[in-house]
Amino acid sequence: MEPFLNRTALLLGDETMERLANTSVIIFGVGGVGSWCAESLVRSGICHLTIVDADTVSITNVNRQAMATANTVGLVKVEAMKQRLLEINPHAEINAIQEIFSADTADRFGLQDYDYVVDAIDSLKDKLELILCCTHKTSDGPVFFSSMGAALKVDPTQVRVSEFWEVDGCPLAAMLRRRMRRQKRFPERRFKCVWSPEVLPNLGHPEEPEPDAIIRKAQINGTTAHITAIFGFTLAGLILTTVSSS
């Protein structure tokens, strides 16, 4: 066990630390939520982590994404994140994939090879595909956790965890459910989400997209570092508590 994990081991015990070291996780989306989830997992003892994102670091990412700094603007997000994670634990196995998860690419990721899948995708269409892929009833594959919308929020006390169909007040969850009903395609297994019912208005001027940015969201909304980080840390915490209790 790495020496930097001593305090974690003091709390969780050696047996749990061994399970964490042997647990494999894949995170889709390495933005404001996914980047902090990845960092928390590696700082907690996860050694086998795959991160998936097709985008590059933008100056507008610096306000909330773990790997985004003035020095990483323009770099591939997953590569910048991988470098940061290896600076935390040089012995971790970090697989960085610069690609979009979609219905066309789903088979490339080998989801059955992982213990946990984390959804931190912004795109509604691709998010729906990942949810349906990971919650097929006949699947005995990985445990699945999902982040709902983390934008337009500032109150940390409203962040919570619920089963997907019990999420009430989140516009992203509502849009997903409407699309599921329209397409008559539904999750066949229950799964937990991190979400908040808070929805604030944008008070500033709309952001102009970067010329080379991959824009797959219907709208760009304001975000804050502490909320996106809390979402990411909570997803990591769900994995830790599940591993600890297994």
Side-chain angles (χ1 to χ4, degrees), residues 137-214:
K137 184 180 294 184
T138 60
S139 171
D140 57 354
V143 178
F144 176 67
F145 296 119
S146 180
S147 170
M148 294 294 105
L152 302 178
K153 308 176 194 307
V154 297
D155 184 355
T157 67
Q158 296 198 51
V159 179
R160 59 199 70 179
V161 177
S162 303
E163 199 279 326
F164 174 68
W165 292 102
E166 296 172 359
V167 174
D168 183 19
C170 172
L172 178 57
M175 287 189 288
L176 284 167
R177 290 194 287 257
R178 283 197 298 270
R179 186 163 294 199
M180 289 173 183
R181 293 185 181 104
R182 188 165 63 247
Q183 297 182 3
K184 295 182 172 55
R185 303 166 67 212
F186 301 95
E188 296 179 344
R189 289 189 293 155
R190 297 170 68 85
F191 64 97
K192 290 182 179 179
C193 301
V194 180
W195 67 287
S196 166
E198 183 181 24
V199 181
L200 299 175
N202 285 313
L203 298 180
H205 298 292
E207 173 187 326
E208 290 294 330
E210 296 291 320
D212 298 325
I214 298 172

Side-chain angles (χ1 to χ4, degrees), residues 12-25:
L12 300 181
D14 292 341
E15 185 176 336
T16 295
M17 297 308 297
E18 183 175 355
R19 288 201 297 270
L20 286 170
N22 292 315
T23 295
S24 59
V25 181

